[in-house]
Amino acid sequence: MPTTQQPTTLTTERLTLRPIEPRDADAFAAMNADPAVMEHFTTGPLDRASSDRMLAKMREQHLRDGYGLAAVERTADGAFLGFTGIHRHCWYPDDVEIGWRLATHAWGHGYATEAATAWLEHAFGELRLRRLISITVPANTRSVAVMRRLGFSLWEEATHDGLDVVVYARDAA
């Protein structure tokens, strides 16, 4: 079991990718309550209590492992845009998944690709991971497009917990 690690913070040209913090709770909850953002999740929009539990779990994982799903903050003004990062998904515990979720006001600006690229470089560089996966439902064409821009290829079509998903993968080499 991993011990407590120094949490990872990454920066890009426009973004700061940092551990999620309690100060993010309001913006995080607003994003998770947005039906457009949550369209492709079986949970649908989250109520505040569910969102707060998710935030606490993400924070705990990042502090425990040194990486996880992290806040995406626009560096210029400190605006919370969503989250991205790497973590172990319960369906694929032997793999590390890269994922993202952005508020609708952050869509269409290239933030998901920019943030995920930084995590990809960290995972294959400093962490020396051999492969990353990314999971979504086939209808989530926006996320599939990001996966493809990042160089991921379709690895598997599967059903987990009654949900049909596509799993994209990219090797470090």
Side-chain angles (χ1 to χ4, degrees):
M1 186 68 149
T3 58
T4 301
Q5 302 289 321
Q6 180 63 34
T8 300
T9 296
L10 304 174
T11 57
T12 70
E13 183 179 329
R14 302 179 293 166
L15 306 171
T16 301
L17 314 174
R18 57 165 176 76
I20 200 128
E21 299 173 356
R23 67 182 166 110
D24 300 317
D26 290 343
F28 187 75
M31 175 184 70
N32 290 328
D34 185 333
V37 171
M38 300 302 290
E39 175 184 7
H40 299 294
F41 294 92
T42 57
T43 61
L46 299 181
D47 62 25
R48 180 60 187 251
S50 297
S51 183
D52 287 349
R53 281 192 300 275
M54 182 180 178
L55 185 142
K57 184 178 176 182
M58 288 167 58
R59 184 166 165 70
E60 176 185 297
Q61 181 184 33
H62 207 132
L63 293 172
R64 181 190 68 228
D65 299 341
Y67 63 83
L69 297 172
V72 176
E73 181 179 272
R74 191 171 42 228
T75 306
D77 61 4
F80 177 88
L81 303 177
F83 67 81
T84 188
I86 56 175
H87 69 118
R88 297 217 182 253
H89 194 287
C90 62
W91 294 337
Y92 296 90
D94 295 332
D95 285 291
V96 175
E97 182 196 23
I98 188 167
W100 47 84
R101 181 180 304 168
L102 296 180
T104 53
H105 66 83
W107 292 3
H109 299 280
Y111 296 137
T113 302
E114 183 176 332
T117 297
W119 278 106
L120 188 82
E121 291 169 355
H122 181 70
F124 290 152
E126 187 169 327
L127 299 179
R128 299 178 191 247
L129 297 179
R130 294 180 39 216
R131 177 177 68 183
L132 288 175
I133 64 170
S134 193
I135 306 165
T136 193
V137 296
N140 191 348
T141 57
R142 294 175 73 89
S143 277
V144 169
V146 172
M147 292 173 199
R148 289 182 176 151
R149 278 193 294 276
L150 294 170
F152 283 66
S153 300
L154 182 63
W155 177 55
E156 176 178 272
E157 295 179 15
T159 302
H160 294 284
D161 300 329
L163 180 66
D164 292 332
V165 298
V166 290
V167 183
Y168 280 70
R170 177 176 166 183
D171 292 331

